[in-house]
């Protein structure tokens, strides 16, 4: 009998499970990795099978062995009933919102949300007749007071984009469940399912920009949306109606990235925390925004709910405006100036909070977001020192 490998052993450690989840090599001649199936058409053996669509695969938009392998891996990571894979992290936000919202509905969205999510709500959802209300990331159980009879979705992101406010997810879920038929969603990109298993906390839908840690390498765009039993069918129906499958090469690349995700995430998280601690109290730095620092306002929530920290945080410069921020960025030699994060290389970006309505600060000076890669910490320290000297003028 062939030796079967299964990733589904819940008693195994995270690295063991990541190494084997999603694909059973003996489903495809023993090759360790699944094939990249490039497909639109799938043939049926006869007319009756075609009429009944009674075979596993029917058309490229509805899944392939490659996308199934990655969906299965996310289902195992998230404990979800099903996972859809879409062409970007942003599509992983917009597809579930379109799936559950209709004209006349009210959306409660955290104010520290990823900027393009806000743009989607303020333009497309508004045009479709959905009203969005932005709430304070610190609201917790207080969200109950904002729930209206037509509130359909509560959208969370914890920690928040760029400013890292932690949300009390169990309290928000409890308020949503008490109010009735409300779907809770989380943009869970920062934590990854390794550090926060959102569905275990009662969240209905967990979203990832797999572009970040799952993919690594800054060369792949992909989004995943994992749903519990209650929400899976409606999410999947919307995915089919919209016709937005991720490409096979991207699915393959992300499955490949998952094998080493914990090693990279742990190392990048460790490097980032070392830098965050070193930056605290450093001349030229007013504040360090990192949930794993005891000084950070949401630290207790992070400690209570999450298993670790990612390699992305921010610093507030001690005064100065855009010019100081640009002097800081231009002096960096190792950190690249670019968007996205979760890759192997360090990046820095000057954050703009002008679209916020509640969570605006105050901050003493410009906000710089740092994505910490796999480089040596001593070299990154020297680079940040160069930036701080330049910012000081
Ligand atoms: C990057 C990001 C996204 C979008 O991912 P893309 O693949 O770049 O579209 C969504 N949410 C968060 C929190 C992100 O950081």
């Amino acid at each position: 009998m062939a030796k079967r490998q299964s990733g589904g052993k819940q008693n195994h450690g995270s690295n063991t499970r990541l190494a084997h989840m999603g694909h059973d090599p003996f489903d495809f001649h023993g090759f360790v990795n699944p094939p990249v199936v490039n497909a639109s058409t799938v043939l049926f053996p006869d007319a009756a099978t075609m009429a009944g669509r009674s075979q596993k695969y029917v058309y490229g938009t509805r899944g392939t062995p490659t996308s199934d392998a990655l969906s299965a891996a996310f289902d195992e990571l998230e404990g979800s009933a099903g996972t859809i894979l879409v062409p970007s992290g942003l599509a992983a936000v917009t597809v579930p919102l379109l799936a559950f919202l209709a004209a006349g509905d009210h959306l409660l969205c955290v104010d520290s949300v990823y900027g393009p999510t806000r743009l989607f709500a303020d333009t497309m959802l508004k045009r479709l007749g959905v009203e969005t209300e932005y709430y304070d990331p610190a609201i917790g159980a207080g969200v109950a007071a904002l729930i209206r009879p037509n509130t359909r979705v509560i959208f969370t992101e914890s920690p928040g984009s760029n400013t890292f406010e932690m949300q009390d997810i169990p309290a928000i879920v409890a308020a949503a469940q008490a109010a009735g038929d409300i779907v809770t969603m989380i943009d869970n990109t920062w934590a990854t399912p390794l550090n926060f298993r959102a569905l275990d906390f009662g969240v209905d839908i967990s979203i990832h920009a797999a572009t970040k840690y799952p993919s690594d390498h800054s060369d792949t765009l992909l989004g995943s949306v994992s749903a519990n039993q209650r929400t899976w069918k409606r999410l999947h129906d919307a995915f089919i109606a919209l016709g937005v499958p991720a490409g096979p090469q991207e699915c393959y690349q992300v499955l490949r990235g998952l094998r080493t995700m914990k090693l990279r995430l742990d190392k990048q998280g460790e490097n980032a925390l070392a830098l965050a601690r070193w930056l605290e109290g450093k001349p030229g730095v007013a504040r360090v925004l990192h949930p794993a620092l005891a000084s950070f306002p949401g630290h207790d929530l992070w400690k209570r709910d999450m298993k670790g920290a990612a390699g992305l945080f921010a610093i507030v410069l001690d005064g100065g405006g855009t010019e100081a921020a640009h002097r800081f960025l231009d002096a960096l030699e190792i950190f690249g100036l670019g968007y996205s994060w979760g890759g192997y290389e360090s990046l820095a970006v000057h954050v703009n909070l002008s679209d916020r309505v509640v969570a605006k600060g105050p901050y003493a000076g410009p906000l710089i977001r740092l994505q910490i890669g796999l480089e040596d910490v001593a070299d990154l320290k020297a680079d940040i020192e160069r930036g701080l000297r330049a910012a000081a003028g």
Side-chain angles (χ1 to χ4, degrees):
M1 206 185 103
K3 177 175 149 55
R4 306 294 291 185
Q5 289 197 353
S6 158
K9 300 212 171 58
Q10 294 294 329
N11 58 330
H12 283 161
S14 299
N15 282 311
T16 307
R17 291 166 57 210
L18 284 167
H20 297 286
M21 61 178 47
H23 175 62
D24 183 339
F26 293 99
D27 284 346
F28 192 72
H29 309 292
F31 289 103
V32 167
N33 291 296
V36 179
V37 176
N38 292 289
S40 54
T41 301
V42 184
L43 296 181
F44 301 87
D46 50 55
T49 310
M50 189 180 200
R53 296 188 165 202
S54 52
Q55 66 183 23
K56 186 166 181 192
Y57 298 106
V58 296
Y59 193 62
T61 54
R62 287 168 179 256
T64 66
T66 317
S67 66
D68 275 1
L70 183 58
S71 289
F74 271 106
D75 284 339
E76 184 175 334
L77 285 167
E78 286 282 17
S80 44
T83 294
I84 61 165
L85 303 169
V86 292
S88 68
L90 183 54
V93 170
T94 62
V95 170
L97 288 174
L98 287 170
F100 289 94
L101 290 166
D105 286 349
H106 177 237
L107 163 67
L108 283 169
C109 184
V110 68
D111 194 43
S112 47
V113 75
Y114 176 61
T117 301
R118 180 191 302 270
L119 183 70
F120 177 74
D122 291 349
T123 57
M124 191 84 67
L125 289 182
K126 185 175 179 200
R127 188 153 54 71
L128 295 175
V130 175
E131 183 189 349
T132 302
E133 181 177 350
Y134 294 98
Y135 63 85
D136 187 334
I139 199 165
V143 79
L146 300 182
I147 293 175
R148 303 179 195 168
N150 63 337
T151 303
R152 284 277 81 80
V153 173
I154 301 180
F155 195 94
T156 67
E157 183 179 327
S158 182
S161 271
N162 300 322
T163 41
F164 303 93
E165 296 90 341
M166 290 297 302
Q167 292 194 251
D168 190 340
I169 298 297
I172 290 169
V173 165
Q177 288 174 350
D181 192 23
I182 294 176
V183 174
T184 49
M185 302 183 186
I186 187 166
D187 184 331
N188 200 19
T189 302
W190 188 86
T192 83
L194 293 178
N195 287 333
F196 187 64
R197 228 163 160 246
L199 273 53
D200 288 352
F201 288 76
V203 177
D204 293 307
I205 289 185
S206 179
I207 292 160
H208 293 280
T211 303
K212 310 292 165 53
Y213 288 105
S215 121
D216 191 36
H217 299 97
S218 306
D219 59 358
T220 302
L221 290 165
L222 187 134
S224 69
V225 191
S226 300
N228 60 12
Q229 201 66 50
R230 173 173 107 91
T231 54
W232 167 241
K233 185 179 181 307
R234 184 152 168 178
L235 175 71
H236 187 254
D237 286 350
F239 170 68
I240 294 300
L242 287 163
V244 283
Q249 189 60 43
E250 284 71 19
C251 292
Y252 181 86
Q253 291 283 92
V254 172
L255 190 63
R256 192 179 202 265
L258 283 180
R259 306 306 183 195
T260 56
M261 182 165 77
K262 185 164 165 56
L263 297 177
R264 291 182 282 103
L265 181 65
D266 286 355
K267 184 61 184 166
Q268 289 175 241
E270 185 189 308
N271 287 357
L273 190 54
L275 288 167
R277 291 199 172 117
W278 170 78
L279 280 161
E280 261 197 313
K282 205 166 171 53
V285 178
R287 273 183 73 188
V288 182
L289 309 180
H290 189 311
L293 290 178
S295 62
F296 191 71
H299 177 68
D300 289 347
L301 291 175
W302 173 80
K303 218 168 142 180
R304 186 190 71 187
D305 294 344
M306 292 197 176
K307 293 202 189 95
L312 186 79
F313 69 102
I315 57 174
V316 182
L317 297 183
D318 191 7
T322 299
E323 282 174 18
H326 286 191
R327 285 199 302 275
F328 178 92
L329 294 178
D330 287 339
L332 299 171
E333 294 173 6
I334 296 172
F335 282 83
L337 309 188
Y339 295 104
S340 211
W341 47 278
Y344 58 83
E345 86 289 23
S346 291
L347 300 169
V349 55
H350 178 208
V351 173
N352 180 345
L353 297 180
S354 62
D355 61 355
R356 298 269 176 103
V357 293
V358 191
K360 284 171 172 298
Y363 297 104
L367 208 64
I368 307 281
R369 189 186 75 179
L370 298 172
Q371 128 76 14
I372 305 305
L374 290 166
E375 300 97 332
D376 295 299
V377 169
D379 297 328
L380 296 178
K381 277 186 184 171
D383 211 28
I384 293 171
E385 295 267 22
R386 268 189 286 276
L388 290 174
R389 272 198 304 274

